[in-house]
Amino acid sequence: MAKTDYKKVYKELYTGKKDKPVVVEVPEFQYLMVDGKGDPEKSPEFEQAIEVLYGVSYTMKFLVKGKNPDNDYVVMPMETLWWCENMENFDRDNKDEWLWTMMISQPSFITKADVDEAVEAVKKKKELASLHKLKFEKRPAHKAVQVMHIGPYEKEEETIEFLHKFIESEGYEMYGKQLDIYLSDPRRIDPEKLKTIIRQSIK
């Protein structure tokens, strides 16, 4: 039985072109989430959140598959919501003030009981500092505009400005937090080739 890749099931949400923003309808998804604050390049919280989210996601995938081989699936990419209490401080010079929610989307058949079981299994293997911060929540369906950013994360600003200008020119209003979806593994690919979906909710 082939494993389900939800990036292909929802292809329009995980693909895009660098110079072509698109409007998408994002359905309700459920996520494992960890909240934090601080510069992602310096904060130990950020690395701890990554370890917790991947650790529980992969553990849960194998637990679920063990119970029902038909439920095999590809673990989804990391996503991060970004914002600041005072959005005027949301720039590259104030990373210590950045707030974030890191998250990984989970298939609709995953239950709270599955998550609890995976968390207990992870606890037995390794002590993770941020495991107690893990949440399992849904995000409601919404309309958004997204564009592909290709290159280092620190050079996203130009792409974000391009996206905001498109939203304004099309008569939409932005709301909520910026979402980044990381399609590349920065440990295995040249920074200039990193692919990141940048998405902004609109109304």
Side-chain angles (χ1 to χ4, degrees):
M1 179 68 69
K3 60 181 74 173
T4 302
D5 186 346
Y6 289 98
K7 295 191 303 301
K8 295 179 180 178
V9 175
Y10 298 99
K11 184 178 178 180
E12 71 279 6
L13 301 180
Y14 296 95
T15 56
K17 295 182 179 179
K18 183 178 178 180
D19 300 317
K20 190 175 180 181
V22 292
V23 178
V24 292
E25 295 290 343
V26 184
E28 178 183 83
F29 285 130
Q30 57 183 7
Y31 295 85
L32 291 179
M33 301 176 167
V34 176
D35 295 328
K37 179 180 181 179
D39 186 339
E41 297 172 6
K42 300 177 182 177
S43 170
E45 268 190 278
F46 198 78
E47 290 300 321
Q48 290 165 5
I50 292 173
E51 190 173 18
V52 166
L53 288 167
Y54 277 128
V56 175
S57 291
Y58 276 99
T59 298
M60 186 158 57
K61 161 195 163 66
F62 289 112
L63 286 172
V64 168
K65 179 185 175 182
K67 296 175 185 178
N68 184 351
D70 290 340
N71 283 343
D72 194 11
Y73 58 92
V74 177
V75 171
M76 293 293 279
M78 187 72 68
E79 306 183 24
T80 307
L81 292 165
W82 299 98
W83 75 102
C84 246
E85 289 180 5
N86 178 358
M87 286 304 290
E88 292 182 0
N89 293 329
F90 190 59
D91 59 50
R92 296 283 168 185
D93 296 325
N94 292 288
K95 289 183 181 180
D96 291 340
E97 298 301 314
W98 285 9
L99 297 167
W100 40 262
T101 297
M102 302 190 71
M103 54 197 199
I104 296 179
S105 176
Q106 305 297 322
S108 60
F109 55 78
I110 294 295
T111 66
K112 179 64 164 56
D114 293 325
V115 175
D116 291 343
E117 183 179 3
V119 168
E120 289 304 313
V122 169
K123 283 182 180 178
K124 293 176 181 178
K125 293 179 182 179
K126 191 174 183 180
E127 185 176 338
L128 298 180
S130 294
L131 189 58
H132 67 286
K133 297 180 182 179
L134 187 72
K135 304 184 294 183
F136 181 51
E137 297 181 358
K138 292 181 179 179
R139 297 195 73 218
H142 60 281
K143 179 180 285 189
V145 175
Q146 65 184 40
V147 70
M148 181 73 75
H149 171 75
I150 299 178
Y153 303 135
E154 59 268 21
K155 293 184 179 180
E156 280 187 9
E157 194 165 347
E158 185 176 330
T159 303
I160 294 168
E161 289 178 1
F162 174 66
L163 183 65
H164 289 181
K165 287 179 181 178
F166 173 84
I167 292 171
E168 183 179 356
S169 69
E170 294 297 309
Y172 293 113
E173 181 181 343
M174 295 189 296
Y175 76 94
K177 302 159 185 172
Q178 177 186 311
L179 175 70
D180 288 3
I181 303 174
Y182 308 108
L183 301 178
S184 307
D185 186 340
R187 300 168 301 177
R188 300 180 180 180
I189 193 170
D190 186 318
E192 295 299 327
K193 296 180 180 179
L194 290 171
K195 292 184 177 181
T196 307
I197 294 286
I198 299 176
R199 183 182 296 162
Q200 178 62 54
S201 302
I202 56 170
K203 54 185 178 181

